[in-house]
Coordinates of all heavy atoms in Angstrom, one line a residue:
N856 N 6.4 -13.7 -8.9 CA 6.0 -14.4 -7.6 C 5.0 -13.4 -6.8 O 4.7 -12.3 -7.3 CB 7.3 -14.7 -7.0 CG 8.1 -15.6 -7.6 OD1 7.7 -16.6 -8.2 ND2 9.4 -15.4 -7.6
C857 N 4.9 -13.9 -5.6 CA 4.0 -13.1 -4.7 C 4.4 -11.7 -4.5 O 5.7 -11.5 -4.1 CB 3.8 -13.9 -3.3 SG 2.9 -12.9 -2.2
L858 N 3.6 -10.7 -4.6 CA 4.0 -9.3 -4.6 C 4.2 -8.8 -3.1 O 5.1 -8.2 -2.9 CB 3.1 -8.4 -5.3 CG 2.9 -8.6 -6.8 CD1 1.7 -7.9 -7.2 CD2 4.1 -8.0 -7.4
Q859 N 3.4 -9.3 -2.3 CA 3.5 -9.0 -0.8 C 4.7 -9.6 -0.3 O 5.6 -9.0 0.3 CB 2.4 -9.6 0.1 CG 2.6 -9.4 1.5 CD 2.2 -8.1 2.0 OE1 1.0 -7.5 2.2 NE2 3.2 -7.3 2.3
E860 N 5.2 -10.8 -0.8 CA 6.3 -11.4 -0.3 C 7.7 -10.7 -0.8 O 8.6 -10.4 -0.1 CB 6.4 -12.8 -0.9 CG 6.3 -13.9 0.2 CD 6.7 -15.3 -0.4 OE1 6.4 -15.6 -1.4 OE2 7.5 -16.0 0.4
P873 N 3.9 -17.1 0.3 CA 3.1 -16.4 -0.5 C 1.7 -15.9 0.2 O 1.2 -16.8 0.9 CB 2.8 -17.3 -1.6 CG 4.0 -18.4 -1.5 CD 4.3 -18.4 -0.1
C874 N 1.2 -14.7 -0.2 CA 0.2 -14.2 0.5 C -1.2 -14.8 0.2 O -2.1 -14.7 1.0 CB 0.1 -12.7 0.4 SG -0.5 -12.1 -1.2
G875 N -1.2 -15.4 -1.0 CA -2.4 -16.0 -1.5 C -3.7 -15.0 -1.8 O -4.7 -15.4 -2.1
R876 N -3.4 -13.7 -1.9 CA -4.4 -12.7 -2.3 C -3.9 -11.7 -3.2 O -4.6 -10.8 -3.6 CB -5.0 -12.1 -1.0 CG -3.9 -11.5 -0.1 CD -4.4 -10.8 1.2 NE -3.3 -10.2 1.6 CZ -2.4 -10.7 2.5 NH1 -2.5 -11.9 3.0 NH2 -1.4 -9.9 2.8
C877 N -2.7 -11.6 -3.4 CA -2.2 -10.5 -4.5 C -2.5 -10.9 -5.9 O -2.9 -12.1 -6.2 CB -0.7 -10.2 -4.3 SG 0.4 -11.7 -4.8
G878 N -2.2 -10.1 -6.8 CA -2.6 -10.2 -8.3 C -1.8 -11.4 -8.8 O -2.3 -12.1 -9.6
N879 N -0.5 -11.6 -8.4 CA 0.2 -12.9 -8.9 C -0.2 -14.1 -8.2 O -0.3 -15.1 -9.0 CB 1.7 -12.5 -8.7 CG 2.4 -11.5 -9.5 OD1 1.7 -11.0 -10.3 ND2 3.5 -11.3 -9.3
C880 N -0.5 -14.1 -7.0 CA -0.9 -15.4 -6.3 C -2.3 -15.9 -6.9 O -2.5 -17.0 -7.0 CB -1.2 -15.2 -4.8 SG 0.4 -15.3 -3.8
L881 N -3.1 -14.9 -7.3 CA -4.4 -15.2 -7.8 C -4.6 -15.4 -9.3 O -5.6 -15.5 -9.8 CB -5.5 -14.2 -7.3 CG -5.7 -14.3 -5.8 CD1 -6.6 -13.1 -5.2 CD2 -6.1 -15.6 -5.2
Ligands
ZN1180 ZN1 0.8 -13.0 -3.0

Side-chain angles (χ1 to χ4, degrees):
N856 297 326
C857 174
L858 292 167
Q859 173 79 76
E860 253 195 316
C874 72
R876 50 176 195 275
C877 72
N879 287 358
C880 282
L881 296 176

